[in-house]
Short mmCIF file of all heavy atoms in Angstrom, two decimals:
data_model
loop_
_atom_site.label_atom_id
_atom_site.label_comp_id
_atom_site.label_asym_id
_atom_site.label_seq_id
_atom_site.Cartn_x
_atom_site.Cartn_y
_atom_site.Cartn_z
N PRO A 140 131.15 106.62 105.40
CA PRO A 140 131.45 105.33 104.75
C PRO A 140 132.83 104.79 105.08
O PRO A 140 133.80 105.53 105.25
CB PRO A 140 131.33 105.60 103.26
CG PRO A 140 130.49 106.80 103.22
CD PRO A 140 130.78 107.60 104.40
N THR A 141 133.00 103.45 105.20
CA THR A 141 134.27 102.77 105.38
C THR A 141 135.07 102.78 104.09
O THR A 141 134.44 102.96 103.03
CB THR A 141 134.03 101.41 105.92
OG1 THR A 141 133.38 100.62 104.94
CG2 THR A 141 133.19 101.42 107.20
N PRO A 142 136.31 102.42 104.14
CA PRO A 142 137.08 102.32 102.86
C PRO A 142 136.45 101.28 101.93
O PRO A 142 136.49 101.45 100.68
CB PRO A 142 138.46 101.89 103.41
CG PRO A 142 138.59 102.52 104.74
CD PRO A 142 137.22 102.44 105.32
N ALA A 143 135.98 100.18 102.48
CA ALA A 143 135.37 99.16 101.58
C ALA A 143 134.08 99.74 100.94
O ALA A 143 133.84 99.43 99.75
CB ALA A 143 135.06 97.93 102.43
N GLN A 144 133.36 100.47 101.63
CA GLN A 144 132.15 101.08 101.04
C GLN A 144 132.49 102.12 100.02
O GLN A 144 131.84 102.23 98.97
CB GLN A 144 131.28 101.73 102.15
CG GLN A 144 130.66 100.70 103.06
CD GLN A 144 129.92 101.34 104.24
OE1 GLN A 144 130.32 102.40 104.73
NE2 GLN A 144 128.89 100.70 104.74
N VAL A 145 133.57 102.85 100.22
CA VAL A 145 134.01 103.86 99.24
C VAL A 145 134.43 103.13 97.94
O VAL A 145 134.10 103.58 96.84
CB VAL A 145 135.22 104.69 99.79
CG1 VAL A 145 135.80 105.57 98.72
CG2 VAL A 145 134.71 105.62 100.94
N ASP A 146 135.16 102.01 98.09
CA ASP A 146 135.60 101.25 96.90
C ASP A 146 134.37 100.69 96.14
O ASP A 146 134.29 100.76 94.91
CB ASP A 146 136.51 100.13 97.32
CG ASP A 146 137.86 100.64 97.78
OD1 ASP A 146 138.19 101.81 97.48
OD2 ASP A 146 138.60 99.88 98.47
N ALA A 147 133.38 100.17 96.88
CA ALA A 147 132.22 99.60 96.27
C ALA A 147 131.43 100.75 95.51
O ALA A 147 130.88 100.50 94.47
CB ALA A 147 131.32 98.93 97.29
N ALA A 148 131.35 101.88 96.16
CA ALA A 148 130.65 103.01 95.56
C ALA A 148 131.32 103.49 94.31
O ALA A 148 130.70 103.86 93.30
CB ALA A 148 130.48 104.13 96.56
N ALA A 149 132.72 103.43 94.32
CA ALA A 149 133.44 103.89 93.12
C ALA A 149 133.16 102.90 91.96
O ALA A 149 133.04 103.33 90.81
CB ALA A 149 134.93 103.92 93.45
N GLY A 150 133.10 101.59 92.25
CA GLY A 150 132.77 100.65 91.22
C GLY A 150 131.36 100.79 90.72
O GLY A 150 131.08 100.64 89.56
N LEU A 151 130.46 101.15 91.63
CA LEU A 151 129.04 101.37 91.20
C LEU A 151 128.92 102.64 90.33
O LEU A 151 128.19 102.64 89.36
CB LEU A 151 128.13 101.50 92.45
CG LEU A 151 126.62 101.59 92.18
CD1 LEU A 151 126.15 100.38 91.44
CD2 LEU A 151 125.91 101.72 93.50
N TRP A 152 129.71 103.67 90.65
CA TRP A 152 129.73 104.86 89.86
C TRP A 152 130.19 104.53 88.45
O TRP A 152 129.59 105.03 87.47
CB TRP A 152 130.63 105.95 90.48
CG TRP A 152 130.96 107.04 89.53
CD1 TRP A 152 132.02 107.10 88.65
CD2 TRP A 152 130.21 108.20 89.26
NE1 TRP A 152 132.00 108.23 87.91
CE2 TRP A 152 130.89 108.92 88.26
CE3 TRP A 152 129.04 108.70 89.79
CZ2 TRP A 152 130.40 110.17 87.77
CZ3 TRP A 152 128.56 109.93 89.32
CH2 TRP A 152 129.25 110.62 88.29
N LEU A 153 131.26 103.76 88.34
CA LEU A 153 131.79 103.46 87.01
C LEU A 153 130.80 102.68 86.17
O LEU A 153 130.58 102.94 84.97
CB LEU A 153 133.11 102.68 87.14
CG LEU A 153 133.78 102.25 85.86
CD1 LEU A 153 134.12 103.50 84.99
CD2 LEU A 153 135.08 101.50 86.12
N ALA A 154 130.14 101.64 86.85
CA ALA A 154 129.14 100.88 86.11
C ALA A 154 127.94 101.73 85.70
O ALA A 154 127.43 101.57 84.56
CB ALA A 154 128.70 99.69 86.98
N ALA A 155 127.52 102.60 86.53
CA ALA A 155 126.40 103.52 86.24
C ALA A 155 126.80 104.46 85.14
O ALA A 155 125.94 104.77 84.26
CB ALA A 155 125.93 104.27 87.49
N ALA A 156 127.99 104.99 85.16
CA ALA A 156 128.43 105.88 84.10
C ALA A 156 128.48 105.15 82.77
O ALA A 156 128.16 105.75 81.72
CB ALA A 156 129.83 106.45 84.44
N GLU A 157 128.94 103.89 82.76
CA GLU A 157 128.92 103.12 81.54
C GLU A 157 127.53 102.91 80.99
O GLU A 157 127.26 103.00 79.80
CB GLU A 157 129.60 101.75 81.75
CG GLU A 157 131.10 101.82 82.05
CD GLU A 157 131.96 101.95 80.79
OE1 GLU A 157 131.38 102.06 79.69
OE2 GLU A 157 133.19 101.93 80.92
N ALA A 158 126.58 102.62 81.89
CA ALA A 158 125.21 102.42 81.52
C ALA A 158 124.57 103.68 80.99
O ALA A 158 123.83 103.66 79.97
CB ALA A 158 124.40 101.88 82.71
N LEU A 159 124.94 104.81 81.59
CA LEU A 159 124.38 106.09 81.09
C LEU A 159 124.95 106.44 79.71
O LEU A 159 124.19 106.92 78.83
CB LEU A 159 124.74 107.21 82.06
CG LEU A 159 124.33 108.64 81.70
CD1 LEU A 159 122.77 108.72 81.74
CD2 LEU A 159 124.93 109.64 82.62
N ALA A 160 126.22 106.20 79.52
CA ALA A 160 126.83 106.48 78.18
C ALA A 160 126.23 105.58 77.10
O ALA A 160 126.14 105.99 75.95
CB ALA A 160 128.38 106.26 78.27
N ALA A 161 125.82 104.31 77.51
CA ALA A 161 125.24 103.43 76.53
C ALA A 161 123.77 103.80 76.24
O ALA A 161 123.31 103.75 75.06
CB ALA A 161 125.28 102.00 77.05
N GLY A 162 123.02 104.27 77.25
CA GLY A 162 121.60 104.57 77.05
C GLY A 162 120.75 103.35 76.90
O GLY A 162 121.25 102.20 76.95
N VAL A 163 119.45 103.59 76.68
CA VAL A 163 118.53 102.43 76.56
C VAL A 163 118.86 101.61 75.30
O VAL A 163 118.80 100.40 75.32
CB VAL A 163 117.09 102.96 76.46
CG1 VAL A 163 116.13 101.84 76.13
CG2 VAL A 163 116.68 103.62 77.81
N THR A 164 119.21 102.34 74.21
CA THR A 164 119.43 101.57 72.96
C THR A 164 120.54 100.58 73.06
O THR A 164 120.47 99.49 72.43
CB THR A 164 119.72 102.54 71.82
OG1 THR A 164 120.78 103.41 72.18
CG2 THR A 164 118.45 103.41 71.55
N ALA A 165 121.60 100.91 73.79
CA ALA A 165 122.73 99.99 73.89
C ALA A 165 122.89 99.38 75.27
O ALA A 165 123.80 98.63 75.59
CB ALA A 165 124.05 100.71 73.55
N GLY A 166 121.86 99.65 76.11
CA GLY A 166 121.93 99.10 77.51
C GLY A 166 121.32 97.74 77.63
O GLY A 166 120.30 97.56 78.38
N GLY A 167 121.79 96.78 76.91
CA GLY A 167 121.30 95.45 76.92
C GLY A 167 121.71 94.67 78.16
O GLY A 167 122.12 95.21 79.12
N THR A 168 121.59 93.34 78.03
CA THR A 168 121.80 92.48 79.19
C THR A 168 123.23 92.55 79.70
O THR A 168 123.47 92.47 80.92
CB THR A 168 121.44 91.01 78.81
OG1 THR A 168 120.17 90.95 78.21
CG2 THR A 168 121.45 90.11 80.00
N VAL A 169 124.21 92.75 78.84
CA VAL A 169 125.61 92.79 79.29
C VAL A 169 125.80 94.06 80.15
O VAL A 169 126.41 93.96 81.19
CB VAL A 169 126.58 92.73 78.07
CG1 VAL A 169 128.02 92.98 78.53
CG2 VAL A 169 126.45 91.43 77.33
N VAL A 170 125.33 95.17 79.68
CA VAL A 170 125.45 96.41 80.40
C VAL A 170 124.74 96.28 81.77
O VAL A 170 125.22 96.69 82.84
CB VAL A 170 124.95 97.60 79.64
CG1 VAL A 170 124.86 98.90 80.44
CG2 VAL A 170 125.80 97.86 78.39
N GLN A 171 123.56 95.76 81.73
CA GLN A 171 122.74 95.54 82.94
C GLN A 171 123.46 94.62 83.93
O GLN A 171 123.43 94.88 85.15
CB GLN A 171 121.39 94.99 82.60
CG GLN A 171 120.49 95.91 81.78
CD GLN A 171 119.29 95.24 81.19
OE1 GLN A 171 118.81 94.24 81.78
NE2 GLN A 171 118.74 95.73 80.08
N ALA A 172 124.09 93.57 83.39
CA ALA A 172 124.80 92.61 84.29
C ALA A 172 125.95 93.27 85.00
O ALA A 172 126.17 92.98 86.19
CB ALA A 172 125.27 91.40 83.48
N GLU A 173 126.66 94.17 84.31
CA GLU A 173 127.75 94.85 84.98
C GLU A 173 127.24 95.77 86.07
O GLU A 173 127.86 95.92 87.16
CB GLU A 173 128.55 95.71 83.94
CG GLU A 173 129.34 94.86 83.00
CD GLU A 173 130.32 93.96 83.64
OE1 GLU A 173 130.99 94.42 84.62
OE2 GLU A 173 130.43 92.75 83.28
N LEU A 174 126.09 96.38 85.85
CA LEU A 174 125.53 97.22 86.87
C LEU A 174 125.03 96.33 88.07
O LEU A 174 125.13 96.75 89.22
CB LEU A 174 124.34 98.05 86.26
CG LEU A 174 123.79 99.23 87.09
CD1 LEU A 174 124.91 100.11 87.54
CD2 LEU A 174 122.85 99.99 86.24
N LEU A 175 124.48 95.17 87.77
CA LEU A 175 124.05 94.28 88.82
C LEU A 175 125.23 93.76 89.60
O LEU A 175 125.15 93.57 90.83
CB LEU A 175 123.26 93.10 88.20
CG LEU A 175 121.88 93.47 87.60
CD1 LEU A 175 121.30 92.21 86.91
CD2 LEU A 175 120.98 94.01 88.61
N ARG A 176 126.33 93.50 88.94
CA ARG A 176 127.53 93.01 89.69
C ARG A 176 128.00 94.12 90.65
O ARG A 176 128.33 93.85 91.79
CB ARG A 176 128.63 92.75 88.68
CG ARG A 176 129.92 92.12 89.27
CD ARG A 176 131.00 92.00 88.30
NE ARG A 176 130.59 91.29 87.15
CZ ARG A 176 130.57 89.98 87.05
NH1 ARG A 176 130.89 89.20 88.07
NH2 ARG A 176 130.18 89.36 85.98
N ALA A 177 127.99 95.37 90.19
CA ALA A 177 128.39 96.47 91.07
C ALA A 177 127.40 96.67 92.22
O ALA A 177 127.74 96.99 93.31
CB ALA A 177 128.54 97.73 90.27
N ALA A 178 126.17 96.45 91.91
CA ALA A 178 125.12 96.57 92.97
C ALA A 178 125.31 95.51 94.03
O ALA A 178 125.13 95.73 95.21
CB ALA A 178 123.71 96.41 92.31
N HIS A 179 125.67 94.29 93.59
CA HIS A 179 125.90 93.21 94.57
C HIS A 179 127.08 93.52 95.42
O HIS A 179 127.12 93.29 96.64
CB HIS A 179 126.12 91.87 93.80
CG HIS A 179 126.27 90.75 94.71
ND1 HIS A 179 125.35 90.35 95.63
CD2 HIS A 179 127.29 89.82 94.84
CE1 HIS A 179 125.72 89.25 96.33
NE2 HIS A 179 126.92 88.93 95.84
N SER A 180 128.14 94.09 94.85
CA SER A 180 129.27 94.52 95.62
C SER A 180 128.88 95.59 96.63
O SER A 180 129.40 95.62 97.78
CB SER A 180 130.37 95.03 94.72
OG SER A 180 130.85 93.99 93.86
N ALA A 181 128.04 96.48 96.23
CA ALA A 181 127.54 97.48 97.17
C ALA A 181 126.76 96.87 98.35
O ALA A 181 126.89 97.31 99.45
CB ALA A 181 126.69 98.53 96.43
N ARG A 182 126.03 95.86 98.01
CA ARG A 182 125.26 95.15 99.01
C ARG A 182 126.18 94.50 100.03
O ARG A 182 126.01 94.61 101.25
CB ARG A 182 124.31 94.16 98.40
CG ARG A 182 123.61 93.27 99.34
CD ARG A 182 122.92 92.12 98.63
NE ARG A 182 122.42 91.12 99.55
CZ ARG A 182 121.95 89.98 99.15
NH1 ARG A 182 121.98 89.61 97.92
NH2 ARG A 182 121.53 89.12 100.10
N LEU A 183 127.23 93.82 99.51
CA LEU A 183 128.15 93.14 100.41
C LEU A 183 128.96 94.12 101.27
O LEU A 183 129.37 93.80 102.38
CB LEU A 183 129.12 92.31 99.59
CG LEU A 183 128.53 91.11 98.77
CD1 LEU A 183 129.57 90.41 97.98
CD2 LEU A 183 127.77 90.16 99.74
N ALA A 184 129.11 95.31 100.75
CA ALA A 184 129.80 96.33 101.51
C ALA A 184 128.95 97.11 102.53
O ALA A 184 129.41 97.96 103.22
CB ALA A 184 130.48 97.37 100.51
#
Side-chain angles (χ1 to χ4, degrees):
T141 65
Q144 290 174 330
V145 171
D146 291 341
L151 187 57
W152 165 270
L153 181 59
E157 293 279 4
L159 179 66
V163 172
T164 54
T168 308
V169 174
V170 172
Q171 296 169 24
E173 290 303 317
L174 194 50
L175 292 176
R176 185 188 306 280
H179 184 57
S180 298
R182 173 190 171 191
L183 295 179

